[in-house]
Amino acid sequence: DVCSSDLKDVPMELAPGLTLGVIMERADPADMFLSHTYPNLAALPPGAVVGTSSLRRKAQILALRPDARVNFLRGNVETRLRKLAEAEYDAIIMAAAGLNRLGLSAPHAVRLNEQDFLPAVGQGALGIEFRKDRQDLRELLRFLEHPPTRLCVEAERGLLAGLNGDCRTPLAGYAVLQSPGALRLSGLVASCDGSEIISRSLTGQITNPRALGLELARRLKDAGADRLMETAKI
């Protein structure tokens, strides 16, 4: 009845009868630059090979370094770090939360500021999904709930739903709480080669975070996000 997962992998609409009953406190939402040779993204030589499994990351890497070669990177965290150590890649980009949870890193590890390198929707947050009728589980797991994280994640998932996005499209969304009672949501849609990026931010009250996400999605669409997402699908 119960499963937990990184919220960036949870479908934007849950199956009938299920609910995202618990959202725990978010870990570091940022991405991490990792390399055995180069201290940061700017230090990579022309034509350097950067590994990632994410179209979102690929687009943002190429927007910053259009001369780089971005190759897809498969496997679990340990496998990806091994491939980096074996020089299959000059650098790789991974979620900071996963690395921190496992206590893993590389000789050069640089956190990419989430305001400049926008994370995936729900990145760093863990959720527990169960049947809506399992009130016993809701009560049992209530102590794990982190309301500030839920507000942010609900706004991000509203953005994702409004864009009808999935893992095959290079899009990003990240929300932060601002005092008093305000939520700031940033969203991004890009072409796969990073040559075109549409980004917008919106601040609203915390009373309806999903509506904030849907409104930001509408504004991104008005700016041409649908066109980019259609051409970016693989």
Side-chain angles (χ1 to χ4, degrees), residues 1 3 20 35 49 54 64 71 73 78 89 112 115 119 121 129-130 148 150-151 164 192 212 215:
D1 294 300
C3 64
L20 195 55
S35 178
V49 178
S54 162
L64 296 169
N71 291 346
L73 174 63
E78 291 88 347
Y89 304 87
L112 301 175
Q115 302 299 336
V121 166
E129 178 184 340
F130 50 79
R150 178 175 288 276
L151 289 169
N164 196 31
C192 283
L212 185 69
E215 173 60 20

Side-chain angles (χ1 to χ4, degrees), residues 169-206:
T169 49
L171 64 89
Y174 178 61
V176 293
L177 286 173
Q178 294 186 325
S179 184
L183 189 66
R184 182 169 180 80
L185 176 63
S186 299
L188 173 154
V189 177
S191 61
C192 283
D193 63 2
S195 62
E196 188 174 359
I197 288 180
I198 298 172
S199 62
R200 296 288 187 276
S201 294
L202 186 62
T203 300
Q205 295 302 304
I206 63 174

Side-chain angles (χ1 to χ4, degrees), residues 28-171:
D28 190 343
D31 289 300
M32 189 79 74
F33 170 93
L34 302 164
S35 178
H36 278 255
T37 307
Y38 304 101
N40 52 53
L41 192 61
L44 292 174
V49 178
V50 182
T52 176
S53 60
S54 162
L55 291 176
R56 171 190 61 84
R57 293 185 184 122
K58 176 182 179 181
Q60 292 188 91
I61 293 165
L62 290 175
L64 296 169
R65 289 296 307 266
D67 58 317
R69 292 168 51 205
V70 180
N71 291 346
F72 275 89
L73 174 63
R74 306 295 185 188
N76 60 29
V77 174
E78 291 88 347
T79 297
R80 296 181 190 198
L81 289 173
R82 175 179 54 77
K83 290 179 179 181
L84 176 66
E86 292 172 352
E88 293 185 34
Y89 304 87
D90 294 300
I92 62 176
I93 308 292
M94 297 181 65
L99 292 163
N100 293 340
R101 285 166 181 152
L102 294 171
L104 299 173
S105 188
H108 297 286
V110 179
R111 184 181 185 276
L112 301 175
N113 187 293
E114 60 268 34
Q115 302 299 336
D116 301 323
F117 200 95
L118 213 60
V121 166
Q123 184 160 302
L126 291 173
I128 302 178
E129 178 184 340
F130 50 79
R131 295 202 317 258
K132 290 180 179 179
D133 62 359
R134 291 298 303 271
Q135 191 62 31
D136 58 327
L137 286 176
R138 188 182 300 275
E139 293 300 323
L140 180 66
L141 300 172
R142 187 184 299 276
F143 75 99
L144 293 171
E145 175 75 7
H146 190 250
T149 298
R150 178 175 288 276
L151 289 169
C152 292
V153 168
E154 293 290 358
E156 294 168 18
R157 286 170 61 79
L159 171 66
L160 184 67
L163 291 171
N164 196 31
D166 55 34
C167 62
R168 298 176 299 145
T169 49
L171 64 89

